[in-house]
Amino acid sequence: PTFTNNAQRHDQQCHSIEEFISYQIGVKNSSSSSRQLMYLATLRTVRPPPFLLSPPLLGSRLGSRSYTLNTGSTTLPITTALTNVCNEGTFAKFDETVSLHVLVTLDPRKPNQNIRTKISLPHGTGSKVKILVMTDDDAAREKAAELGAVVPSGTVADAVKAIQDGDQSLLQGVDRLITSPSDMRTLASLGRILGPRGLMPNPKLGSVTPDIPKAVSDALKGEVIVRVNKEGGIYTPIGKVSMGYSSLKANARAVLEAISSNKPSDAKGVKSGAAFWKTASITRTMGGYNCRVETSTVDPSSSKYFRGGVEGDQEKETEEDDVYA
């Protein structure tokens, strides 16, 4: 009855999509889940135009629940998910990023329960990367600038002092910071500023290196960092929608095989194979497409790895595996 009354009152007051969304999201004294339920119940009662029920709109408002609310909780093979993400319609006016989300049985707060590595995607990320180079080596500075990296004027000490004094414009929009081992001592004092931004240089990730031009070149070609968050999730961009199925598939395989090859030997589920992979999904930037994926099709040790879902995919799999190798 509450939903019916709200729906009737809304039907009399609101006359546009904007008013409709604002009314439902702006309901006071209601939890987030209650607002979502009221939103869906009102949709069914008022019966708004069909385009209001499209996946992009629901996805942008309800986040990761868009797939479950629209097509049920059934999981799909990763080949089908990647095909759909390339063909699904969108309201976005830009080339959306496709991301691979997996949840594994790791707790990085415990010793030997972490994954943190870098990989070069076979077809790149499709995104423009902003690299900041901070070093006092004049030759490295010149080569890095020629490659397209941002190189601040003055010494590293001058840049560090400016950042500490509150001028953080140098860090705006930066995706990665690269420095040399000799300059890392000076940058160490910025740990509390660079750490939360994910910019703190790390030798294991190649951002502290004597060969700065090579590190810059690799980062610009499509190098991504694969790491586990505190909940055991690994979220990695694998390209743009416009790159197509084949490129996204090759990038996804590179990420999954990097995770598999770097997983701790004593982690829960490693010996039993599939138990290591708890959930997996493919998403797009605007949230209009969020598909649950069968974990057996993302496990490199499984016989179903990247199998099924796409017409003719199984027959072509052997040939594609040879090309990928």
Side-chain angles (χ1 to χ4, degrees):
T2 303
F3 294 153
T4 302
N5 292 338
N6 283 334
Q8 292 175 348
R9 183 175 59 179
H10 157 75
D11 193 27
Q12 296 173 2
Q13 293 181 353
C14 299
H15 305 285
S16 67
I17 297 176
E18 291 77 8
E19 292 182 24
F20 182 82
I21 298 298
S22 299
Y23 177 83
Q24 296 302 333
I25 301 302
V27 176
K28 297 182 179 180
N29 301 323
S30 297
S31 63
S32 176
S33 59
S34 297
R35 290 198 300 271
Q36 291 177 5
L37 289 173
M38 183 177 295
Y39 174 68
L40 293 177
T42 306
L43 285 178
R44 295 169 183 170
T45 305
V46 178
R47 297 185 180 277
F51 62 84
L52 192 56
L53 298 174
S54 61
L57 186 58
L58 282 178
S60 63
R61 291 296 176 183
L62 304 181
S64 61
R65 298 191 179 193
S66 60
Y67 177 77
T68 303
L69 292 172
N70 287 298
T71 57
S73 57
T74 305
T75 57
L76 299 175
I78 189 170
T79 50
T80 302
L82 289 174
T83 301
N84 292 346
V85 79
C86 296
N87 299 330
E88 188 76 14
T90 178
F91 289 151
K93 297 182 180 180
F94 60 92
D95 195 5
E96 295 181 78
T97 297
V98 180
S99 299
L100 172 64
H101 297 186
V102 295
L103 186 65
V104 296
T105 56
L106 291 179
D107 186 355
R109 294 170 293 184
K110 298 180 181 179
N112 301 323
Q113 291 277 308
N114 199 2
I115 293 177
R116 190 173 185 181
T117 185
K118 64 172 184 175
I119 62 170
S120 294
L121 298 179
H123 297 278
T125 61
S127 301
K128 186 176 181 180
V129 183
K130 184 177 181 180
I131 307 297
L132 174 64
V133 172
M134 298 183 70
T135 180
D136 289 332
D137 186 342
D138 293 335
R141 288 165 56 91
E142 183 177 352
K143 292 181 180 179
E146 292 176 356
L147 291 172
V150 176
V151 182
S153 59
T155 64
V156 174
D158 294 338
V160 169
K161 186 178 184 304
I163 294 173
Q164 289 177 334
D165 291 341
D167 183 11
Q168 298 185 11
S169 58
L170 185 63
L171 303 177
Q172 189 172 9
V174 173
D175 298 295
R176 196 165 185 190
L177 194 157
I178 298 176
T179 188
S180 63
S182 59
D183 295 309
M184 186 59 200
R185 295 181 179 180
T186 307
L187 286 175
S189 59
L190 295 178
R192 293 186 176 181
I193 298 176
L194 299 178
R197 293 172 177 259
L199 296 178
M200 194 64 184
N202 189 328
K204 295 181 180 180
L205 300 178
S207 50
V208 180
T209 174
D211 192 353
I212 290 180
K214 182 179 183 304
V216 172
S217 178
D218 291 342
L220 293 174
K221 287 179 181 178
E223 197 174 63
V224 295
I225 297 176
V226 178
R227 70 180 75 184
V228 182
N229 62 19
K230 61 182 180 180
E231 288 84 15
I234 303 176
Y235 309 110
T236 311
I238 58 174
K240 298 288 188 179
V241 173
S242 62
M243 293 172 62
Y245 169 77
S246 299
S247 298
L248 293 176
K249 178 181 177 181
N251 287 349
R253 293 186 63 147
V255 172
L256 292 170
E257 290 168 12
I259 295 173
S260 180
S261 61
N262 286 276
K263 61 186 179 184
S265 58
D266 58 344
K268 181 180 178 182
V270 170
K271 295 182 179 180
S272 59
F276 175 76
W277 309 85
K278 298 174 68 175
T279 63
S281 63
I282 297 291
T283 65
R284 289 196 318 207
T285 302
M286 297 300 290
Y289 182 84
N290 186 342
C291 178
R292 289 183 180 179
V293 175
E294 296 176 5
T295 54
S296 60
T297 62
V298 301
D299 179 14
S301 64
S302 172
S303 60
K304 296 182 179 179
Y305 179 54
F306 269 90
R307 297 285 180 176
V310 178
E311 184 178 357
D313 192 70
Q314 292 183 350
E315 290 74 14
K316 297 179 181 179
E317 194 69 35
T318 303
E319 181 182 351
E320 290 181 0
D321 286 345
D322 294 339
V323 173
Y324 176 73

